[in-house]
Amino acid sequence: MHLDPFELHRPSSVDEAVRLAAAHPGAFDFLAGGTDLLPNYKMHLNLRPHLIALDGVGELQGIGLERLGAMERLAQLERDAELARAYPGVADALAEVATPLVRASATVGGNLLVETRCFFFNQSRFWRASLGYCLKAEGDRCHVVPQKERCYATFSGDLAPVLMALDAEVEVAGPSGRRRVPLGAIYDAAGDGIRRHRLSPGEIVVAVHLPGAARRRASAYLKLRVRPSFDFPELGAAAAAELDAGRVRALAVAVGGLETYPRRFDELTAPLIGEHLSDERLRALAEEVMRAVRPVHNTFLAPDYRRKMTRVFVRRALERARARSGGAA
Ligand SMILES: Cc1cc2nc3c(=O)[nH]c(=O)nc-3n(C[C@H](O)[C@H](O)[C@H](O)COP(=O)(O)OP(=O)(O)OC[C@H]3O[C@@H](n4cnc5c(N)ncnc54)[C@H](O)[C@@H]3O)c2cc1C
Ligand code: SF4
């Protein structure tokens, strides 16, 4: 596998990066740590002739309890003891992304916008050619759900579910200016694995913002993967809870690794506000999340197994968040 030639651009400001993107419509990718993009390029997956590297843009740096710069490396976040104390669920997730070597280069922004994955997509060109390619790269059919004309590639980032559970917002900059949106709103709930996010072409993620309320929530993240030292999530379960004498003040559950986008379940957690977070309620909530998710057969583990494990992992994430908030263990 080799990298085809591309032109590398090195802007030093967000405005310059946005201008460069506008000058090459449909023909560029932003390059952060490159740990997802460059392996995909080596497999000839949706190559672009221009790469706009973001590592020289100072505004994308910075780690604080209220703001995480998009270009901060995951290893750097992992070393921040204050961050881990404030957001233990984020620390759980960081420790489970890929390997320490990958985390040394991987960034926050790249993790939130990591390419969706599918067993039939993340393969060499030679391998894919034998099947006639697929909708997500160079082909005209889906090998997972052939009767449909959409892509079911799976969202496989670890940070998004737990940041969504903490009500994180993202600041984005683009040709139309700046805006701040809830993190969950940048993903496409209509669910196409090809267009995996709702950012406009040329928009850059500048930073993640965490509200003050996030620090009152105890959070947790658990991940199912084939090789615990290495692999992408087959399922990621995040929970965040604020309890007052055992009663729920705020509660959020989000999952990733199951569908085309990370998904939060406010409709299931809202009825628990004001209630005691008992074992029975945790079990019932985890059961409801399991019933809501629809994994397909495009990762290593069977979808039925991933659904069943959703119940187990969501329950355990809730138990861990409850214990961290000082509730029952
Ligand atoms: C062996 C291996 C194992 C892995 N395991 C995991 C895992 O377990 N969990 C996991 O979550 N990930 C995993 N990854 C994927 C990847 O390493 C991480 O998701 C990483 O955080 C991606 O960040 P990056 O900076 O390298 O992104 P890049 O590869 O540089 O970019 C990823 C995508 O995001 C876009 N992008 C990046 N930053 C911005 C920005 N600021 N604004 C707009 N667009 C942007 C890029 O254009 C690209 O489309 C793994 C990768 C490898 C190689
Ligand atoms: S879900 Fe279908 S279209 Fe999408 S990457 Fe897999 S095979 Fe291709």
Side-chain angles (χ1 to χ4, degrees):
M1 288 194 288
H2 66 275
L3 269 179
D4 276 10
F6 50 78
E7 192 175 340
L8 183 66
H9 305 269
R10 313 221 42 197
S12 56
S13 69
V14 169
D15 287 350
E16 192 186 349
V18 169
R19 275 199 303 277
L20 278 165
H24 302 289
F28 76 92
D29 273 316
F30 291 117
L31 176 67
T35 60
D36 188 49
L37 192 72
L38 296 182
N40 287 346
Y41 271 29
K42 286 186 180 172
M43 291 198 275
H44 283 246
L45 294 166
N46 300 326
L47 306 180
R48 304 275 185 267
H50 296 273
L51 284 190
I52 303 173
L54 299 175
D55 57 345
V57 181
E59 196 191 333
L60 306 185
Q61 305 289 338
I63 302 178
L65 294 186
E66 290 169 6
R67 182 187 183 277
L68 305 172
M71 274 304 290
E72 284 296 343
R73 312 286 165 174
L74 302 187
Q76 206 62 41
L77 265 63
E78 223 182 333
R79 283 194 280 271
D80 194 306
E82 207 187 346
L83 196 74
R85 261 194 309 277
Y87 309 120
V90 174
D92 292 341
L94 285 167
E96 299 245 30
V97 174
T99 65
L101 191 61
V102 172
R103 295 199 293 273
S105 300
T107 64
V108 173
N111 195 267
L112 297 180
L113 296 180
V114 68
E115 185 60 273
T116 49
R117 295 182 66 79
C118 168
F119 182 76
F120 297 94
F121 174 74
N122 298 99
Q123 302 288 355
S124 69
R125 194 153 196 234
F126 175 73
W127 191 103
R128 288 180 292 119
S130 66
L131 274 181
Y133 304 111
C134 79
L135 288 173
K136 193 163 163 67
E138 299 176 81
D140 58 7
R141 61 190 290 256
C142 174
H143 304 299
V144 178
V145 191
Q147 58 276 32
K148 293 270 172 69
E149 288 187 356
R150 50 163 286 213
C151 167
Y152 290 82
T154 302
F155 178 84
S156 303
D158 281 304
L159 281 185
V162 68
L163 289 174
M164 280 165 62
L166 289 170
D167 283 345
E169 292 186 337
V170 280
E171 178 184 348
V172 295
S176 323
R178 301 241 175 176
R179 60 195 179 106
R180 242 164 100 154
V181 287
L183 172 59
I186 73 168
Y187 299 110
D188 191 356
D192 189 331
I194 295 176
R195 186 164 154 56
R196 62 191 193 282
H197 60 73
R198 290 175 162 181
L199 297 185
S200 304
E203 276 192 319
I204 297 174
V205 173
V206 174
V208 172
H209 294 272
L210 286 150
R215 288 193 288 287
R216 295 196 295 273
R217 291 187 188 176
S219 56
Y221 179 77
L222 271 89
K223 169 173 174 174
L224 172 68
R225 53 178 166 173
V226 178
R227 292 165 293 184
S229 58
F230 186 81
D231 276 322
F232 283 87
E234 293 278 337
L235 143 68
E242 182 185 348
L243 302 183
D244 182 8
R247 286 185 188 274
V248 177
R249 279 180 150 225
L251 182 65
V253 170
V255 298
L258 290 166
E259 297 174 329
T260 55
Y261 66 106
R263 186 167 165 193
R264 183 171 143 156
F265 297 91
D266 289 351
E267 69 285 8
L268 302 181
T269 52
L272 297 182
I273 304 296
E275 304 289 344
H276 277 287
L277 205 51
S278 62
D279 288 344
E280 294 68 33
R281 288 198 171 100
L282 291 192
R283 268 198 294 275
L285 176 55
E287 175 89 19
E288 286 180 291
V289 174
M290 179 195 73
R291 288 181 194 284
V293 296
R294 298 274 176 278
V296 296
H297 205 173
N298 64 355
T299 63
F300 287 100
L301 300 178
D304 194 41
Y305 177 69
R306 283 153 71 210
R307 274 189 76 233
K308 286 180 178 153
M309 293 311 283
T310 301
R311 177 176 50 197
V312 177
F313 277 60
V314 167
R315 176 176 53 74
R316 288 181 187 165
L318 281 161
E319 284 169 356
R320 192 183 283 185
R322 183 181 63 180
R324 284 174 173 170
S325 75

